[in-house]
């Protein structure tokens, strides 16, 4: 062991040492460090409704299983005698050095788990230098979360059927300091989710997870116009002049949108949200609209087919997130990791390709990186930590994944993320 290692142990050894030293005086990690125990403990910590919403997936949940199975079908082949004493987990993405290859996925409606969840994950990720993606369905306005994010953050957009709202949300994200816009493409409609259907439970109908909307001037204008029109009349539109004024406001006064719509109109707000939430008619021809309205990098989330990846590259987007939305949208679909090699072969030379869906720990992170992912998104794993022990629980899950990634990297014979390649894997 060198002096340097004694002074600044790599994250894997540091975390093990912290746990074992605390264990010697009788304390145990607040959040289980292994996947099965983490899931079981989270289920005990959540209400049945929250558990169904977070853990549930589409249909028979076979895509969620396929996500996990895909990881299990690729096996690492460790290499020996390669001097792995010094290891570097950092990656380069959009001109920024990220200390780890992890990102936190956008997760909506977290007030089901904890009213302060959006701020808690921004703080937890930020304290580790991990970029968080703030959901369009968050429970707090992005401006309120941005103030807490010690690290960089990206804004995740659901493309509303109201283009003026898209424009306003993106303008707000820019003004509040987002470093990228992630457009989620796989949710033009909600998937068929039996766990929620059987409970008759959709959080948005209860006014949950719509804070980005109720804090938005264009959305509020839509609510006001809806209240004025006779019931059954056509959906109100915001005039182009009003859009210019309102979007101008979002750019000039980002602090103003920290608060949700507080009084009056809550029912109308929910109805308006249900009307404008998404646009199933969205197509490739719409992307220039967004490109013209932001200077931030644009990523497309939910791409799985190599042809879609090529099309995205040709449309001038800046990155791809290969994702099955955690299996929550299309049952019977390909596991995300199985979609990754095709997308990487198609566009990996030109664009960063991020992978999420089914990542349970560091061994999964390393496999995704070996198959060509630039970075890896963590979804339910940190939500489970949050449910068990709040901000500290989410931080612990992320630290544990970083620790296991570091150890797996070294134990398979690598000093850095860039050294990983498909040659480190066999398919079984
Ligand atoms: C999500 N996901 C999601 N994605 C998105 O783009 N916007 C969102 O608001 C949400 N909301 C959301 C809520 C819940 C409860 C879950 C579980 C997932 C999908 C998420 O970003 C990511 O793609 C998956 O969670 C990755 O799969 P795993 O790692 O959870 O299996």
């Amino acid at each position: 062991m060198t002096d340097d290692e004694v002074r600044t142990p790599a994250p894997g050894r540091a975390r093990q040492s912290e746990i074992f030293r605390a264990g010697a005086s009788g304390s145990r990690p607040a959040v289980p460090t292994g996947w099965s125990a983490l899931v079981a403990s989270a289920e005990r910590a959540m209400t049945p409704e929250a558990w169904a919403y977070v853990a549930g997936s589409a249909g028979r949940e076979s895509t969620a299983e396929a996500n996990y199975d895909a990881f299990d079908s690729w096996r690492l082949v460790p290499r020996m005698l390669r001097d792995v004493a010094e290891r570097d987990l950092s990656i380069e993405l959009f001109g920024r050095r990220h200390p780890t290859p992890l990102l936190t996925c956008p997760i909506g409606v977290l007030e089901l788990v904890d009213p302060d969840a959006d701020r808690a994950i921004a703080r937890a990720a930020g304290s580790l230098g991990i970029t968080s993606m703030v959901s369009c369905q968050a429970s707090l306005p992005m401006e309120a979360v941005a103030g807490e994010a010690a690290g960089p953050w990206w804004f995740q957009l659901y493309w509303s059927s109201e283009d003026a709202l898209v424009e306003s949300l993106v303008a707000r994200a820019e003004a509040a300091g987002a470093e990228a816009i992630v457009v989620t493409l796989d949710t033009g409609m909600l998937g068929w989710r039996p766990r929620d259907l059987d409970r008759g439970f959709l959080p948005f109908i209860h006014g949950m997870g719509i804070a980005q909307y109720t804090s938005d001037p264009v959305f509020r204008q839509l609510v006001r116009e809806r209240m004025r029109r006779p019931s059954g009349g056509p959906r109100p539109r915001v005039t182009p002049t009003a859009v210019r004024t309102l979007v101008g406001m979002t750019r000039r006064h980002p602090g103003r949108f920290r608060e949700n719509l507080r009084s009056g109109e809550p029912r109308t707000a929910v109805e308006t949200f249900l009307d404008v939430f998404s646009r199933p008619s969205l197509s490739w021809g719409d992307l220039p609209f967004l490109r013209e309205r932001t200077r931030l990098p644009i990523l497309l989330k939910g791409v799985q087919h190599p042809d879609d990846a090529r099309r995205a590259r040709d449309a001038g987007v800046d990155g791809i997130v290969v994702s099955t939305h955690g299996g929550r949208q299309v049952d019977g679909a390909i596991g995300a990791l199985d979609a990754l090699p095709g997308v990487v072969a198609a566009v990996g030379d030109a664009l960063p390709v991020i992978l999420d869906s089914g990542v349970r720990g560091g061994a999964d992170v390393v496999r995704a990186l070996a198959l060509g992912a630039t970075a890896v998104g963590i979804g339910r794993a940190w939500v489970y930590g949050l449910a068990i022990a709040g901000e500290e629980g989410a931080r612990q899950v992320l630290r544990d994944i970083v620790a296991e990634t570091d150890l797996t990297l070294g134990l398979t014979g690598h000093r850095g993320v860039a050294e990983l390649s498909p040659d480190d894997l066999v398919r079984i």
Side-chain angles (χ1 to χ4, degrees):
M1 187 184 296
T2 66
D3 287 352
D4 275 348
E5 273 186 289
V6 175
R7 279 197 297 272
T8 53
R13 294 253 309 266
R15 181 71 186 128
Q16 285 170 320
S17 157
E18 176 186 328
I19 292 173
F20 291 136
R21 279 169 207 276
S25 43
S27 74
R28 301 279 179 272
V31 171
T33 58
W35 180 250
S36 310
L38 176 69
V39 174
S41 178
E43 182 173 6
R44 284 194 297 276
M46 286 191 217
T47 64
E49 264 164 3
W51 177 250
Y53 186 72
V54 173
S57 295
R60 288 190 297 112
E61 308 198 336
S62 69
T63 304
E65 275 170 39
N67 287 331
Y68 299 129
D69 291 348
F71 281 103
D72 292 338
S73 73
W74 289 100
R75 298 292 171 143
L76 289 158
V77 186
R79 303 297 304 272
M80 301 296 138
L81 294 174
R82 283 180 156 191
D83 183 358
V84 292
E86 304 280 327
R87 295 180 298 281
D88 178 9
L89 290 184
S90 70
I91 57 154
E92 182 85 18
L93 201 50
F94 303 130
R96 176 186 272 284
R97 198 90 208 151
H98 295 244
T100 81
L102 304 190
L103 307 164
T104 59
C105 293
I107 305 278
V109 204
L110 281 178
E111 68 209 86
L112 278 170
V113 177
D114 174 345
D116 199 42
D118 297 312
R119 275 196 277 250
I121 185 58
R123 283 193 294 259
S127 69
L128 303 173
I130 294 175
T131 293
S132 44
M133 297 186 227
V134 175
S135 167
C136 210
Q137 301 315 128
S139 299
L140 293 170
M142 63 184 103
E143 291 80 1
V145 178
E148 305 285 336
W153 63 282
W154 299 350
F155 177 65
Q156 177 265 317
L157 174 77
Y158 282 126
W159 197 305
S160 163
S161 58
E162 201 58 61
D163 277 349
L165 182 56
V166 170
E167 192 171 346
S168 177
L169 289 168
V170 169
R172 283 171 61 194
E174 267 195 20
E179 294 192 3
I181 303 291
V182 183
V183 189
T184 299
L185 301 179
D186 55 24
T187 314
M189 295 150 270
L190 270 192
W192 183 254
R193 299 180 188 166
R195 294 203 214 193
D196 298 330
L197 292 164
D198 288 347
R199 292 180 173 277
F201 178 69
L202 181 68
F204 313 113
I205 295 210
H206 301 274
M208 296 183 208
I210 61 171
Q212 307 300 6
Y213 302 79
T214 51
S215 57
D216 190 276
V218 168
F219 182 82
R220 290 183 188 191
Q221 180 73 12
L222 287 169
V223 173
R224 278 191 292 273
E225 289 182 13
R226 191 188 178 102
M227 290 184 84
R228 280 201 293 268
R229 92 184 137 131
S231 67
R235 200 174 77 210
R237 297 249 152 215
V238 185
T239 64
T241 317
V243 171
R244 274 196 296 278
T245 314
L246 294 167
V247 171
M249 271 168 61
T250 67
R251 286 189 190 279
R252 282 192 304 278
H253 309 290
R256 226 192 244 186
F257 309 109
R258 294 175 68 89
E259 297 300 326
N260 275 330
L261 191 110
R262 241 181 293 206
S263 60
E265 311 129 29
R267 184 84 331 243
T268 317
V270 167
E271 293 302 331
T272 308
F273 166 75
L274 294 174
D275 254 11
V276 304
F277 158 62
S278 74
R279 172 130 89 79
S281 67
L282 195 69
S283 67
W284 293 101
D286 292 306
L287 290 180
F289 175 90
L290 186 59
R291 182 74 288 169
E292 284 155 21
R293 279 161 182 79
T294 183
R295 51 177 176 75
L296 296 177
I298 297 173
L299 296 96
L300 299 185
K301 177 169 182 277
V303 170
Q304 293 161 66
H305 198 291
D307 289 348
D308 285 347
R310 283 188 203 95
R311 206 139 177 205
R313 177 201 57 201
D314 296 345
V317 307
D318 303 284
I320 302 261
V321 184
V322 173
S323 168
T324 67
H325 210 110
R328 294 161 72 79
Q329 286 299 95
V330 180
D331 191 26
I334 186 172
L337 192 75
D338 284 333
L340 178 67
V343 171
V344 168
V347 300
D349 289 346
L351 298 178
V353 179
I354 295 161
L355 179 284
D356 78 34
S357 296
V359 177
R360 296 156 293 187
D364 292 342
V365 172
V366 170
R367 281 180 277 196
L369 296 170
L371 285 177
T374 314
V376 177
I378 309 300
R380 290 182 182 92
W382 66 258
V383 180
Y384 294 158
L386 186 92
I388 297 164
E391 176 183 336
E392 198 40 52
R395 183 180 292 110
Q396 191 197 301
V397 165
L398 294 173
R399 284 189 69 201
D400 290 352
I401 296 175
V402 172
E404 196 191 353
T405 301
D406 171 46
L407 292 169
T408 307
L409 196 70
L411 289 169
T412 53
H414 305 92
R415 280 167 300 193
V417 169
E419 290 181 4
L420 289 165
S421 81
D423 291 344
D424 294 304
L425 298 165
V426 290
R427 185 107 209 222
I428 54 160

